Amino acid sequence: MVSLANGLQLPIDPQTDRRHLLKSRFSDGDRVPAYAQDALSALLKQNIWLTTPAHPDQLDLHRPINKGELAVLLYEVLAAQKQVPPIPPPQAAQVTKLEVSLSERRVTAFKGSIKHRTYPIAVGRQGWETPKGTFKVKQKFARPDWKNPFTGDVIKAGDPDNPLGQYWIGFWTNGKDWSGFHGTPNRNSVGQAVSHGCLRMYNEDIKELFALVSTETIVEVSR
């Protein structure tokens, strides 16, 4: 992973707390040696990562990588560079319902009646509350542009300051404004009531969720 990051010359924000970033995402993130923290943080920022399905929150630093995992990792790098299409999820893995708790600031994904995973979210702040009710996913975009609703200025996809991150899942609109799930360049905002009605997620979480939902996925938002 360090060799990949160095070969790709991935940038890392000098203000990023590498150790905190890795610890916040992985249960064994505090075990990453100092020499590897820059490279692994850069991979994480680019949504290029490899964990096992059995332990999605662990790096397993001392476990040798196998050929299949290495192939997936190399393919993800090529997909991030848009040289190949992203790996589509298997149909059986689709999430059928998302239950959003605004008070607990979390969303739980279900595959049928089986709980898949719960993710932390940021929710709408006072005066810009997230719409409550039952909805369906209406749109999905990878690498979305962001348009400032007040000034009309546009931040292009791929810009590290793009407030939407790398993925957008829209589920509510009044014909003008939208609410949906998206990533964020501001990780510290997740878990707070700070948005204009949308649900912010960690970039690695929205990447995973984006691959699992469809326009048939139900979104239930409650207090």
Side-chain angles (χ1 to χ4, degrees):
M1 291 181 180
V2 172
S3 298
L4 275 176
N6 291 338
L8 291 169
Q9 297 182 326
L10 296 178
I12 182 70
D13 186 344
Q15 296 184 349
T16 297
D17 186 336
R18 285 81 152 165
R19 194 167 188 82
H20 174 75
L21 176 62
L22 294 168
K23 285 177 63 177
S24 68
R25 179 63 181 88
F26 301 104
S27 60
D28 54 354
D30 59 340
R31 301 177 187 174
V32 176
Y35 77 86
Q37 289 177 8
D38 281 0
L40 270 62
S41 296
L43 283 171
L44 186 56
K45 285 282 191 177
Q46 294 291 320
N47 294 314
I48 300 170
W49 206 255
L50 180 68
T51 55
T52 63
H55 303 286
D57 299 322
Q58 293 181 13
L59 289 170
D60 289 334
L61 293 171
H62 301 295
R63 182 181 62 82
I65 192 169
N66 63 44
K67 291 180 180 179
E69 292 167 338
L70 180 58
V72 171
L73 179 59
L74 292 172
Y75 192 97
E76 282 197 349
V77 170
L78 294 174
Q81 295 178 328
K82 295 191 174 297
Q83 297 187 44
V84 295
I87 301 173
Q91 287 301 112
Q94 291 294 313
V95 164
T96 55
K97 183 174 68 172
L98 298 171
E99 289 187 357
V100 176
S101 172
L102 299 178
S103 59
E104 296 178 355
R105 297 171 188 172
R106 67 183 185 184
V107 56
T108 302
F110 288 84
K111 296 178 180 179
S113 60
I114 300 174
K115 184 184 293 186
H116 169 61
R117 187 177 172 188
T118 297
Y119 306 91
I121 55 174
V123 303
R125 65 191 185 194
Q126 187 174 6
W128 292 88
E129 287 84 1
T130 302
K132 295 186 286 291
T134 301
F135 316 98
K136 265 190 176 183
V137 170
K138 294 179 178 291
Q139 57 180 209
K140 294 173 56 183
F141 297 119
R143 294 179 59 82
D145 294 336
W146 177 77
K147 184 177 182 180
N148 189 307
F150 305 108
T151 67
D153 294 337
V154 174
I155 298 180
K156 290 293 186 179
D159 190 308
D161 294 324
N162 187 323
L164 298 182
Q166 296 290 321
Y167 299 94
W168 163 260
I169 304 170
F171 62 82
W172 177 91
T173 182
N174 59 7
K176 178 184 177 183
D177 301 316
W178 278 87
S179 283
F181 302 91
H182 61 81
T184 177
N186 182 8
R187 293 180 66 86
N188 292 332
S189 67
V190 176
Q192 303 184 49
V194 293
S195 78
H196 288 91
C198 286
L199 303 171
R200 300 181 189 174
M201 300 178 66
Y202 292 128
N203 291 325
E204 61 273 13
D205 288 347
I206 188 69
K207 177 185 179 182
E208 176 181 295
L209 190 62
F210 183 87
L212 297 175
V213 301
S214 71
T215 52
E216 296 300 313
T217 301
I218 301 295
V219 182
E220 295 182 354
V221 183
S222 63
R223 184 61 188 167

